[in-house]
Amino acid sequence: MVGAVFAVILIVGGGECLTMSTRTLSLPTDELAALVGGTGRAKSVWDEVRRGIEPLSSTSRITSKTRAALEAAGVKQFVPGHPEAVSVARDGTTKLLVRFDDGLAVETVLIPHLKLPRTTLCVSTQVGCDRGCGFCATAAMGLARNLTACEIAAQFYWAKDYATAAPLTNVVFMGMGDAGVNCDASAAAAVALTDHTKFGLARSKVTISTVGPSPTSFRVLAQSPGMLAWSVHAADDDLRRQLVPTQRYSLIELRAGLVDALASRPTVRMRTLMIAATLIQGVNDRDDDAVRLAEFVGPLVDVATKVLLDLIPVNAVDHAPHFQRPDHDRIFKFMDVLRRVEPRVHVAVRITRGDDECAACGQLAVKDSQARVVRRRQRLAAAAGSSSAAIS
Ligand SMILES: *[C@@H]1O[C@H](CO)[C@@H](O)[C@H](O)[C@H]1NC(C)=O
Ligand code: SF4
């Protein structure tokens, strides 16, 4: 009987467990106020979170009634997870492993700006990833599970302590996993990060990146407060399927979805778009590729306020040694062609950061827990035959 009641509470669509204890950071502040008995108490909880103090361990500022209300709702820890291994690269890029209650872990990466006093945090949205991009270390892990919105936002809390050079001001959803696959939780995490009663980041400082698993995934992400980023990599379907083998829709269909999503955004400022292309020598770095890419982004530039085209020279990963970074001259030639064909885009080359510590994009893989992730995937696949397609 008791077991049945628990099962009803825990099994929510998509295999997510949305009990109070897994929604703490994503719970709207008015709902938190209703739970703890007042807006003042809800505010004190969030004041502690912003100070970097776990509210349930706070001795001074949290009343015993607030604590009792949270505990009665099953909350053992208001901020989920705990930080584990830390590694710092020569350029200050800091990789933090955050482990959650079920033993699974993700990486979150702090990237201090080279000149300005600010640090960007690159958060993970899933444990592993099932998109299979050929140049990415995370792809080799497969997908263990989605993170909850709460677990995505919690990475900001844990990372704050390690932002020693300059405060965390920007967040990019470009770590492990794809925000467009885990779109609802990613959108909700962006809300928690920008809510002025919560972490209070500026909307313009949050960027949500996706390969675009479907046209509708852009729609969901467009309802979140962040800037959208599409990892397109190539403007030709055959070539793109070599790089992103899970692509199910044509590039034309995906672009149409993104055009609609951008047009649906309420303010002109929110129609800024980032397009990312990982450049691989001899694969997608020729002049022809640049011409096709420039022509392909045209309809997006028409609807967007501003388009930033980010070129990312590929990082060498163990499992794809044949993917090499184009040389400097090739990258700049590629850039010139893009600018000539589509002068309205702002083209930039992303400086590789932290690659001496494997913390650059497409290099996040949790080596120490990889075996554990694989075992868990096998268990999940065995337990849920119907969802095994999504897991494998
Ligand atoms: C992850 O979330 C997406 C979107 O909510 C859902 O379709 C998918 O089934 C989830 N995957 C897993 C492994 O739970
Ligand atoms: S590049 Fe991003 S979407 Fe592609 S496999 Fe890696 S984490 Fe997933």
Side-chain angles (χ1 to χ4, degrees):
M1 200 53 195
V2 172
V5 171
F6 270 103
V8 170
I9 296 169
L10 290 173
I11 298 168
V12 187
E16 287 167 58
C17 306
L18 295 176
T19 57
M20 189 63 74
S21 62
T22 55
R23 290 182 64 208
T24 47
L25 300 177
S26 54
L27 199 65
T29 312
D30 55 346
E31 284 181 43
L32 178 65
L35 177 76
V36 296
T39 48
R41 287 183 189 164
K43 184 176 178 299
S44 67
V45 168
W46 270 97
D47 285 346
E48 292 301 78
V49 173
R50 274 193 303 274
R51 281 192 192 98
I53 299 166
E54 163 59 46
L56 287 174
S57 309
S58 167
T59 45
S60 52
R61 300 185 188 90
I62 300 294
T63 64
S64 54
K65 282 190 175 139
T66 306
R67 190 175 304 116
L70 288 170
E71 281 166 358
V75 180
K76 292 192 187 70
Q77 214 183 323
F78 196 80
V79 186
H82 61 274
E84 244 179 48
V86 180
S87 60
V88 184
R90 280 189 292 278
D91 66 1
T93 299
T94 302
K95 216 167 54 162
L96 185 66
L97 191 71
V98 178
R99 197 174 295 284
F100 295 107
D101 284 354
D102 61 356
L104 293 176
V106 295
E107 284 183 336
T108 197
V109 185
L110 296 90
I111 309 164
H113 197 280
L114 290 171
K115 298 194 188 81
L116 304 173
R118 65 177 197 221
T119 300
T120 296
L121 181 68
C122 176
V123 296
S124 292
T125 55
Q126 299 178 296
V127 184
C129 188
D130 64 1
R131 295 296 91 193
C133 302
F135 49 84
C136 172
T138 310
M141 293 175 67
L143 174 66
R145 69 168 171 91
N146 289 328
L147 294 184
T148 62
C150 188
E151 289 169 332
I152 299 169
Q155 293 166 55
F156 185 81
Y157 172 93
W158 294 117
K160 255 170 98 174
D161 279 354
Y162 297 88
T164 46
L168 287 184
T169 49
N170 297 54
V171 174
V172 295
F173 287 52
M174 296 181 186
M176 293 166 64
D178 188 82
V181 174
N182 191 13
C183 50
D184 295 316
S186 298
V191 171
L193 289 169
T194 54
D195 184 334
H196 69 277
T197 66
K198 295 186 175 178
F199 292 110
L201 286 172
R203 289 166 158 232
S204 57
K205 307 284 189 209
V206 174
T207 303
I208 306 186
S209 172
T210 178
V211 293
S214 69
T216 49
S217 61
F218 291 124
R219 263 276 180 185
V220 176
L221 294 183
Q223 284 155 17
S224 77
M227 175 168 86
L228 293 181
W230 185 21
S231 297
V232 67
H233 306 310
D236 166 279
D237 277 311
D238 288 338
L239 179 53
R240 190 170 192 263
R241 284 201 175 96
Q242 284 173 36
L243 302 173
V244 186
T246 50
Q247 181 185 326
R248 283 204 291 137
Y249 295 85
S250 71
L251 280 164
I252 300 288
E253 289 169 311
L254 293 174
R255 183 181 63 188
L258 182 51
V259 165
D260 287 349
L262 277 176
S264 77
R265 304 207 90 182
T267 65
V268 168
R269 267 185 70 151
M270 291 183 76
R271 285 181 216 137
T272 298
L273 176 69
M274 186 188 279
I275 300 276
T278 298
L279 286 189
I280 307 168
Q281 187 184 59
V283 175
N284 65 347
D285 68 339
R286 293 155 297 198
D287 286 357
D288 278 3
D289 299 311
V291 171
R292 263 197 297 267
L293 183 58
E295 288 171 353
F296 180 74
V297 299
L300 291 164
V301 187
D302 292 343
V303 65
T305 309
K306 185 177 178 186
V307 174
L308 312 161
L309 215 160
D310 222 1
L311 301 177
I312 310 159
V314 72
N315 287 302
V317 289
D318 294 348
H319 68 277
H322 52 293
F323 282 163
Q324 294 298 321
R325 185 178 289 203
D327 65 35
H328 202 264
D329 288 351
R330 181 86 296 269
I331 294 169
F332 282 90
K333 184 75 198 309
F334 193 92
M335 220 166 147
D336 281 346
V337 175
L338 279 174
R339 283 186 176 135
R340 185 165 45 73
V341 179
E342 182 48 90
R344 297 174 296 170
V345 293
H346 302 258
V347 189
V349 178
R350 198 186 294 171
I351 305 164
T352 307
R353 300 289 308 278
D355 53 346
D356 53 338
E357 278 292 335
C358 253
C361 280
Q363 295 207 334
L364 300 184
V366 181
K367 291 195 179 84
D368 73 338
S369 62
Q370 204 149 329
R372 202 195 302 239
V373 169
V374 171
R375 279 199 304 277
R376 179 165 166 96
R377 282 178 63 207
Q378 288 161 348
R379 275 206 309 278
L380 282 171
S386 61
S387 59
S388 60
I391 295 164
S392 59

